[in-house]
Amino acid sequence: MVVETTVFNSGGRVIAAASPEEGFKVMKGMGKYASLFVTVLALVGLMFLTVPRAVAQQDGSPIGGDADDTFNPPPCDYNDQFYGDNGIDVTQLVGRFGDNNGTTRLTGPPARGNQKNYVADSTCNVKDPNRRNFRILATTGGNSDDNNSPFTCASGNGGPNCANQSFFEPETFEFISILAFVNSQNAFSNSYLRNVGFINGGLQGVQQNPGEDISIGQASLGESPAQTLRGFAMQDIVSNFEAYAALKQTTPQGFASNPCSLAMIKQLQNPNATSVPMPCFPVNDTVVNGQTVSDVATPNLRQDWRFATNRNAMDGSDNNDPVGAITGNVINAPFGYFCDDLLGMWIITYFWVTAPPNDPHCGPIYQSIGAKNGFNTDGTPIVLTAFELNTELEAQGCGAEAKEDLAGNDGGAVWLICPGIPDPRAGGISTDAFLDQVRNSNGIPQNLFLTANFLSLQIFGKFPNELTSKQQSQVRAAATSAATAAN
Amino acid sequence: MPRSKTQRITRRNFLKLTAGAAAVGPFFVLTPNAFASGKTLNVAKWAHFLPEFDDWFINVVAAEWGKRNDTKVTVDVIPVEEIRERAFAEVTAGKGHDVFVFPWPPAEFHQHVIDHTGIYQTVAAKYGAIQQLAHRSTFSLSNKKYFAFADFWTPSPLHFYQDYWAQIGMPLGPVHFGGLLSGGTRLRDKLGIPCGLAFCPTLEGNVTLHSILYAHRALIFDSGGNLVFNKDVFAARAISLIHALCRESGTSEQLTWPSGGSVSAMLARKTSSTTNAISLLRAAEKQDPKVAGKMWIQPPLIGTSGMGVTALPHVTNCSVVWNFAQNEDGARQFIGDLIDTSRTGYEKSLGVNFPIYPKTVPDIIVRLSKDPQANPPSKYTALKDALHWTPNLGVPGYATPAYMEIFNTSVVPKMVARVAKGESAEDAAAAGAAEMQRIVDKWKQAG
C-alpha cells in the first residue's frame, strides 16, 4: 500500500478514555444552542444576502497553470490504480461514482431532484494523480463523536480554532464523500502487484531502473495473502474506523424495533433469537429506476452519520503513541485515518432503537436524549455521542447495533469508501458542492447547525467561528434560505 | 542457608499436567557445584508453552546468572494450572522460592511481596519507561506500590484456517464477533467443522472469555475500580452471545477442554478458529508446515458498543519477590537482570514473548516481517500493532486482587457453563455478579 503522511496536526491534544470509543470527552448536546439558533434564524429569515462565493478559493494569481493549483482541491474519485494499490478490487465496488461512463449514481440519492452527485472534471487527475476525473459534489455531513478533530470546539477545550467559539458551531462535524459501497469481503484483494518507476532509459543501460513493486499477497516477496509487506490487510486497517448508520425504523407495517436480519439481531440485541420479529426495517440495497440504491443512502437514514473517530483521531491529534509507553491517559491506536486508511474507508456499524418511542421503559430515555439533541421524524432521538448510544441506550436495552454479514448475505453495505475531507476550508468544499444531509419529512434539514457549518465553509472557506459578524449574518441568511427552499 | 521445601514434580507428571500443544520443558534443577559465597536463589516459574524457552531459561539464563553472581540457582517449572495453588501454599507457609513467576498479574499476592518499584526504576535507567500494559498489570492502587515486575507478554490474535473460511465466502476470515457467529454457523453446517474458542476454566478459556466480555462492554470493574458487572444488559447479552457461539457454531467440548485443548483441536484441524498465543501457530509449523500454511492470524475481532478491536494478553509474565524471600537482594537483581536477556528470550520463545521494554528488541518489526519459520515470512507482521489492541487484565482499570481472583477462580467460565446446562443468561450473570461481589467484599475486608 502507498504510504502518505498526515497533513494536519491540530497542535497536540491528549485524549483520556476509559474505553476505546467512549472517552472522557462526551460531546455537549446542541440542545442548549438549538433554541438560540432557531431564534437567530427567525430573525434573519428574510435577510438573505448575496454572498460572494469565490472567496473560498485559494488559487492565487495566476488562476491555473501554477503550483498552487493543487492547494486543497475538492474531492474526486480515486482512479482504479489507486484502489488497486490499496487492496481494493474495483470490480467489486457497488455504486461507484462515475462508473458506466459517468452514469452510475449520477442523479438520485443522495442528490435530490435534478441535482447531480458528481461532475466530470479534467483537473482532478492533474491536481492529484491518484484521482480520476469525476469530482464529487455530494458532500455528506456527519457528527464526529470524539472531539478529536482539529476543528472541534464542542468540548470547550477543542482545537486551535476554538478561541472564539460560539453557539454557531456547537458540534463537531466531518464531511465525507461517499464514493462507493462495499457489500462483501470479496472486494479486498488477496493478491496484487504493480511496478512503479521502471525506467529503460537507454544510454547503454546506464539509466536502467527496476522500479519498486507495490504488492499485496505476493508469496514470492514473502507476503501473506491480502497483506502488504508491512503486514497490513486493508480489511484490518478499516476495522479501526467505524461509521455509524441509523436506518429509518418506520415501515408500512408500523415501527420496527429490529433489522430484517437475524444475524444482526443476534450480535447484541438478542443473541438467542431464532427468527426475525416483524415488522423489521430492511438492511439490503434496492433497485430504483435501474439504479442500485444502497441501504445506507441518505433517504433511508433517520439521522446523519456519526463517526467514531476517537479511537483514531482522523488527523492523529490524539497524540497516539505507537510505542504504547505511558504518556498520560492516551489511547494508543494502531492506525491513523489520513496516513493509513488512504481510501478513507469505514466499516459500518448500524444502530437502532429497540423499542417504540412510547415504550414505558425506553420512552423516557429517548425523551431525555431527544431533549438535548432533537428528534427524528419517527419520534426517536437523535444520537450524537458514543455515550448516548452505548451507555444511555444500549446498556439499558433500548438500543442495539450490528454489522452486516461479511460475505454479503445481508445484501447491504458492509463498508463505505468515503474519505473525509482533510481540510474543508479554503476550497476543500467547492462552490458547486451540495450538502448531503438527513431531512425531516417537510424537507427541512434535520440539523441546521450542519447546514450552517457547510455553508460557512463553502461560501467563505472558513469555519463559523472564524467569520466576521457580517459574514456570520450572511451564512445565517443562507442557511435560512436553504431551509426555506426545502419547503 | 535453608533450602525451600517446595514440592518438586516429576517430569512424567509435569508432562501429563501440561498435555497438548502447550508442551513444557524439562523439570530441571541446577546441580550443586562450588559456590564460594554459599548463596542460593530459588526460582519457581510457570511452564512456558514452548519447552525450548524453559530449557534456555534454566540452562542458560539461570545458570549463567548464578555463575556471575556466585549463587546456586534452582528453577522449578510448574504447570500453569498449578501456579496459583503453589503460590498460595508458599505464602501460607511463609517460605518457599525467592522468585515466583506468574503468567498473569499476581495481584492476589500483593500483601506477600516486596515493593518492586526499585526494580522498575533500575531498569528504566537502561531501557526507558514502563509500558501502560505493564504498569496496569503490576501496580497496586491501594498502596501505590508495584507488586510484581513484568518483563514480557504474549498477544492473543485470532487464528483461523483460511481454506475453511474461504468456503463460506469469507476468505479473509471473520472481522467481528457477529461474523464469527454467522460465518461459523455456516461453516459448521457446511463442513462440520466448529469454531474452537476456549470457553473452559483454563488460562486460555479465561483470557478468551474475559476478552469477549470486554469487547462487548460487559465490564467487570469500571476504571475507578467499582464492580459494575451485570449493572446493565451487556453482561447477559455477552453471556448469551458466548452461548450462541458454542451452541450454533462451536462444540460442547469448548466448555470442558483441559489446558491446551483448544490448541490441540486446532492442530488436528478439528476446529476452524480460535484465539491463542502464537505458540499455536509455532506448534503447527513444527508439526506440519502444510497445516501451518493454511492457518492465518489476524488482529482480534471487533467488539460491539464501541469497544473496537481488542483482546487481552494471553500471558503477562510477572515475577515477584516474596517478602519472606531468603535471598531478597539476589531475587531483586535476578528479575531485573532478566531484561538483559529479553532479546534472546524473544528468539528462544520463537517470538511468543513480546518485550515489555521495546528497546530490548528494537527490530521486532523487522523480525516479525521476516520470520525464518513462517510461511510466508511476513505472516507474523499481523502482530506488529498488537500492543495497540491489547489492554491489561482488569481493563479499563488495573489488575486488582479482586479482579485477578475472579479471573483465576474462573467465575466467567462457570457462568458460561451454567447457561450451557440450561440456566438463563440473566440468571447466570446474576449468579456470577454475586460471586464477584463476594470476592470484592472479601478483599475490602482484607484491606
Side-chain angles (χ1 to χ4, degrees), chain B residues 84-103:
Chain B
R84 182 168 178 265
E85 179 186 342
R86 295 286 294 274
F88 271 122
E90 295 198 5
V91 299
T92 301
K95 55 186 176 182
H97 296 84
D98 300 297
V99 174
F100 212 98
V101 188
F102 296 84

Side-chain angles (χ1 to χ4, degrees), chain A residues 30 36 90 106 126 224 260 284 325 344 389-390 442 449 468 487:
Chain A
M30 60 185 273
L36 180 56
V90 293
L106 179 60
V126 175
S224 297
C260 299
N284 59 300
L389 176 62
N390 303 142
N442 59 4
F449 288 118
T468 65
N487 287 312

Side-chain angles (χ1 to χ4, degrees), chain B residues 427-447:
Chain B
D427 288 348
E435 174 63 6
M436 292 176 187
Q437 186 63 59
R438 186 194 66 75
I439 293 170
V440 168
D441 292 342
K442 186 191 83 172
W443 282 103
K444 279 183 179 174
Q445 288 184 349

Side-chain angles (χ1 to χ4, degrees), chain A residues 21 185 222 230-231 266 394 401, chain B residues 173 248 305-306 378 381 384:
Chain A
E21 180 180 3
Q185 202 177 59
R230 293 174 68 202
K266 291 169 74 74
E394 292 178 348
E401 65 177 58
Chain B
E248 298 174 23
S305 304
S378 68
T381 49
K384 64 194 295 184

